[in-house]
Amino acid sequence: MRSLRDSVVITGAGVVSPLGHSGPELFSALSAGRSAVGPIDRFDASVFPCAVAAQVRDFKARDWVSNRKNLKLMSDAVRFGLAGIKRAFADAGLETGAVDPDRLGVFVGAGTALGRTEDLIPAMRAATTEDGFDSGRFAEEGMHAINPLWLLKGLSNNVLGFSTADIDARGINQNYCNSGVGGLQAIGEAAWAIAEGRADVIVAGAADSAVNPLHFTGFGRLRALTSGEGPDAVRPFDARHDGFAPGEGAAFVVLESVEHARRRGAAPRARIAGYADLCAAHALGKGDSAVVQQTLSIALERAGWSPEVVDLLYAHGNGTPKFDQIEAEAISAVFGQGYPPVTSNKGQIGHA
């Protein structure tokens, strides 16, 4: 098997985040300990067990959409994703036509595939009587109040579709609908695709917007949301942790074969040394520390590293007691008592 660390480099990055819209801006905010978690002003959150989230602000989608007519077909997550991809592409010193379209790909981790639940409210009101919800009335009157483009706006592969058309990427593409692991999975699998010679350049990452009533309902029923109210409401690996705050945004990197980057004179920002992906969930809300431990061990083995050479662990650490415990157990098992510093950004930019 060809080694990833000898094959794949990162040459660009693009972000849309609650703490800034460039790599340096986001890094500075994270390093300074700033948190974007705060009161929600997008909808009435008083009926939910959590009243905070990390919201993207000062973002103008029209700056990143070539065909403005497409805006009406894009959810917030799709707009974030397209901007993140185009920012990463430009940050790598690339422009449309600079890469053989058949050797250029896009890998995307996508969030929940639905339109805005708020857009269904007029239809539900039209179908509600004194006796409750009337399905016949919904069919006759309610459905006519729903925008016919509602479902199209929420398709999970919209980021993939709009971005590949925009940067003329006709090569291999993948879409991962795998919750919080989707973005990392997209980057890891894109790295393998390049190492195996299936592409020269792939833009990989994820986009999501979990700051809406649908996500708050689902996460609330899972009892995964924090009850905290301030910027320090989410406390990963802390004795006082009690859940996470939803977030939103996009983050993408440009992965490139070493040969292709060298030919065009691109300076690598980093290398992908190793990657592993296993499933530790036996049911919704479940996890398995032994499988997380195994995944860590495989990633280290593929990178050719021993645990002692690792300087930092950037953990999932979403602030829920159950999953923080599972992750902490796996880290301790692999690295022992002398494990390196462990950090997480979920307390600053939310969970998406």
Side-chain angles (χ1 to χ4, degrees), residues 19-343:
L19 283 179
H21 303 320
S22 72
E25 187 180 5
L26 174 59
F27 180 77
S28 295
L30 291 172
S31 300
R34 286 177 50 205
S35 173
V37 175
I40 298 168
D41 56 19
R42 195 171 298 172
F43 60 91
D44 181 7
S46 62
V47 297
F48 297 104
C50 175
V52 295
Q55 301 175 102
V56 168
R57 303 184 187 279
D58 301 320
F59 173 74
K60 297 180 180 178
R62 61 180 179 273
D63 293 342
W64 301 98
V65 179
S66 301
N67 184 348
R68 299 289 178 83
K69 293 181 179 180
N70 287 337
L71 281 169
K72 63 183 180 181
L73 295 173
M74 295 181 177
S75 64
D76 287 338
V78 176
R79 295 174 180 184
F80 298 153
L82 181 59
I85 288 172
K86 295 181 76 171
R87 282 174 171 166
F89 204 61
D91 187 57
L94 295 168
E95 57 184 21
T96 303
V99 183
D100 178 354
D102 294 331
R103 300 286 297 170
L104 173 61
V106 178
F107 280 34
V108 177
T112 303
L114 283 175
R116 281 167 37 96
T117 50
E118 300 94 312
D119 294 341
L120 299 179
I121 292 176
M124 301 300 291
R125 285 175 174 164
T128 301
T129 67
E130 294 181 354
D131 298 324
F133 180 77
D134 186 327
S135 58
R137 190 167 176 175
F138 178 78
E140 294 175 2
E141 300 180 33
M143 288 186 64
H144 298 291
I146 300 175
N147 189 314
L149 301 177
W150 178 82
L151 182 61
L152 293 178
K153 291 175 65 174
L155 294 178
S156 68
N157 61 351
N158 273 350
V159 173
L160 198 62
F162 285 115
S163 66
T164 52
D166 214 311
I167 65 173
D168 195 22
R170 309 177 199 173
I172 185 172
N173 64 77
Q174 297 287 342
N175 199 55
Y176 297 94
C177 300
N178 212 2
S179 189
V181 77
L184 184 60
Q185 193 171 36
I187 293 171
E189 295 301 331
W192 278 123
I194 290 176
E196 293 166 357
R198 291 183 282 161
D200 292 326
V201 178
I202 296 178
V203 189
D208 194 14
S209 179
V211 187
N212 55 64
L214 175 66
H215 280 81
F216 271 67
T217 299
F219 289 142
R221 294 186 67 182
L222 289 173
R223 298 182 179 179
L225 297 175
T226 181
S227 61
E229 297 182 353
D232 60 347
V234 181
R235 311 180 72 91
F237 301 112
D238 190 281
R240 293 164 290 177
H241 58 183
D242 70 343
F244 60 77
E248 61 183 359
F252 285 86
V253 292
V254 173
L255 303 178
E256 201 163 344
S257 70
V258 171
E259 294 83 0
H260 190 274
R262 186 181 298 120
R263 284 199 304 269
R264 71 181 188 90
R269 309 284 185 85
R271 292 177 180 270
I272 302 291
Y275 162 69
D277 179 20
L278 301 176
C279 182
H282 304 292
L284 187 63
K286 303 293 183 181
D288 189 330
S289 177
V291 179
V292 179
Q293 174 187 340
Q294 184 183 6
T295 312
L296 270 168
S297 299
I298 293 173
L300 287 167
E301 180 183 357
R302 288 177 177 171
W305 294 358
S306 64
E308 292 76 21
V309 305
V310 178
D311 296 316
L312 174 70
L313 287 171
Y314 220 115
H316 180 65
N318 67 5
T320 57
K322 178 189 297 183
F323 289 105
D324 280 3
Q325 179 70 27
I326 288 172
E327 195 168 16
E329 289 175 356
I331 290 171
S332 296
V334 173
F335 292 91
Q337 293 302 310
Y339 56 81
V342 179
T343 189

